[in-house]
Amino acid sequence: MEIVKTQNTQASVTTSHNKMKTGVLIVNLGTPDSPNTPDVRKYLREFLMDGRVIDIPVAFRWMLVNLIIAPFRSPKSAKTYKELWEDRGSPLKFYGEDVEAMLQKELGEEFEVKLAMRYQSPSLDVVLEQFRNSGYQKIIVIPFFPQYASATTGSVYEKVMKIVSQWQIIPEIKFVNTYYDHPKFIEHFTTAARNYMASHEYDYFIFSYHGVPERQIRKGDCTGKTCNFGSCCDTIHSFNQYCYRAQCHETTRLMVKELGLKEGTYLTTFQSRLGRDPWIQPYTEDTIKKLAKEGKKSVLAFSPAFVSDCLETTIEVGEEYKEVFEELGGEHWQLVESLNNSPIWVELLKDLVTKNS
C-alpha cells in the first residue's frame, strides 16, 4: 500500500509539472505615471526617442526630443493629462488593467494574461521577465493597435524580440499583427454609432485615425511604386496588406457598409501630426473646418485606431475638435467611444488568443 501511495504521489507531481501554460501579453502604447510635468517629460522622452516613432538619425532625434519637444511640450501636455486623469489614474492604463482581469477570467488557468506598456510602466522588460521565470511553452503577443504601423505594432515587436533575444531558452512566440477588420471590432463601433444615430440625425461622419509621416508609409512599400497616397488604398491586396493607410481605409469601408452610409457623407481623416514634414492626409482638423464652412451642422466622429479612450480621443477628438467645429457654426459633435473595457473587446481578444493557441 505504501508503494502505491508513493507512485500516485509521484504521478501527481509529474502531472503538475507537465501542465503547460501560455502567456498572453497585451501591450498598449503607454502613459505617464502621473499628470505632473516631470513624469510627462519622462514619458515623452522615452516615447519620442524610439527610432520607429521619430525615424531620423539618432543624434538629430536626441536634440529634437531633449532640447525642444520635451522641455517645451511637457508643461502643456501635463495640463491636458490633468483634464483626462481620473481617480483610478490614466484611462488608457486602468482600462487595460480591467481587460487584463476580464480576459484572464475568460481564458482560465491554462493561460496567464499580463498587461504591459511599450513606454513606462508596467514595462515590457519587467513583464517578460515574469514570463521567462514561469517557464511558459508559448507566449502570444497582442499589441493594442488594430491597424499595423511601424511606430506602434512594429515598435512592440522590435522591443519584445530585443528582450527575448537575450534569453538562453526562447519559447514559441506568436505575434498578432492586426485586427482592423475583425467582425467584433467593427461591431463595437457600429453598434455604438447606431445608438447615437437613433437619437440624433447626423449629416456627416468622420473616421479619424492617428496620423503617421508619409515617409513611413513609403518605407513600407516593398515595391517602391505601389503607394501614391490615393486610389492605391481603395482595396486591400498583397502589396499593401501591411500599409497603415490602406488598413485604415478598409476599417472605414467595413463600418460604412455595416451602417449603410451614403457616399459623400463620410471621410477617412488623420490627426495628431508632429513637425513640418507631410503626414498622411486629409488632416482631421482641416476637414472639420471645411465641413463647417460648407454648412454641415451635425457630425458623428469615430477614432478606430484606438482601443482605449485616451488623450487623442477624449481630449483631441471629443473636446478640441468639437470646439473648432462649434466655433465655425457647427451645432452638434459626438465622439463614438472606444472599446475600453467592454465585453465585446474581451470576446475579440479571446478569439485572437484561441486562434493563435
Side-chain angles (χ1 to χ4, degrees), residues 281-298:
Q281 299 183 39
Y283 300 136
T284 303
E285 186 169 354
D286 291 350
T287 300
I288 293 168
K289 294 175 181 177
K290 182 174 181 289
L291 292 175
K293 291 178 181 178
E294 290 175 350
K296 298 294 188 294
K297 296 300 182 182
S298 186

Side-chain angles (χ1 to χ4, degrees), residues 140-339:
I140 301 172
V141 183
I142 308 179
F144 273 17
F145 314 112
Q147 300 84 14
Y148 177 91
S150 173
T152 53
T153 305
S155 180
V156 170
Y157 287 3
E158 182 179 72
K159 182 67 172 179
V160 169
M161 289 188 287
K162 182 179 180 180
I163 293 170
V164 302
S165 69
Q166 304 302 311
W167 297 0
Q168 187 66 29
I169 298 174
I170 301 176
E172 179 183 0
I173 300 178
K174 288 200 172 184
F175 294 95
V176 174
N177 188 274
T178 62
Y179 39 92
Y180 64 91
D181 56 351
H182 195 287
K184 290 189 181 297
F185 180 70
I186 304 302
E187 181 184 345
H188 165 80
F189 284 98
T190 53
T191 298
R194 285 194 188 95
N195 291 334
Y196 289 117
M197 293 165 69
S199 58
H200 194 92
E201 186 174 345
Y202 294 91
D203 48 22
Y204 211 82
F205 303 84
I206 287 182
F207 296 84
S208 180
Y209 299 80
H210 200 288
V212 298
E214 289 184 357
R215 66 177 181 272
Q216 292 186 5
I217 299 295
R218 291 194 182 94
K219 285 181 180 179
D221 182 3
C222 59
T223 68
K225 57 185 179 181
T226 298
C227 181
N228 59 31
F229 297 103
S231 60
C232 55
C233 292
D234 286 352
T235 58
I236 293 286
H237 49 78
S238 59
F239 292 133
N240 73 353
Q241 61 182 314
Y242 297 114
C243 171
Y244 174 73
R245 182 177 182 270
Q247 292 180 359
C248 291
H249 279 280
E250 180 67 7
T251 297
T252 296
R253 282 192 291 269
L254 291 170
M255 292 187 185
V256 163
K257 181 180 180 180
E258 184 66 24
L259 291 170
L261 303 184
K262 297 179 181 178
E263 286 296 323
T265 65
Y266 63 89
L267 191 65
T268 297
T269 64
F270 300 91
Q271 65 188 79
S272 307
R273 63 187 188 271
L274 175 68
R276 298 180 179 179
D277 286 350
W279 286 42
I280 50 178
Q281 299 183 39
Y283 300 136
T284 303
E285 186 169 354
D286 291 350
T287 300
I288 293 168
K289 294 175 181 177
K290 182 174 181 289
L291 292 175
K293 291 178 181 178
E294 290 175 350
K296 298 294 188 294
K297 296 300 182 182
S298 186
V299 172
L300 187 61
F302 301 74
S303 291
F306 302 91
V307 299
S308 302
D309 280 316
C310 54
L311 211 66
E312 287 83 356
T313 62
T314 303
I315 303 298
E316 188 172 9
V317 179
E319 296 181 9
E320 294 176 359
Y321 289 162
K322 177 182 179 180
E323 185 176 337
V324 171
F325 184 62
E326 291 178 348
E327 284 181 351
L328 293 173
E331 296 176 356
H332 186 79
W333 176 276
Q334 177 63 54
L335 170 65
V336 175
E337 59 272 15
S338 296
L339 291 108

Side-chain angles (χ1 to χ4, degrees), residues 21-51:
K21 294 183 73 171
T22 296
V24 179
L25 181 65
I26 54 176
V27 189
N28 212 332
L29 189 73
T31 184
D33 290 333
S34 81
N36 299 321
T37 300
D39 283 333
V40 173
R41 185 184 299 115
K42 179 182 177 183
Y43 166 72
L44 288 177
R45 281 176 172 161
E46 183 182 0
F47 171 41
L48 298 175
M49 277 302 297
D50 186 338

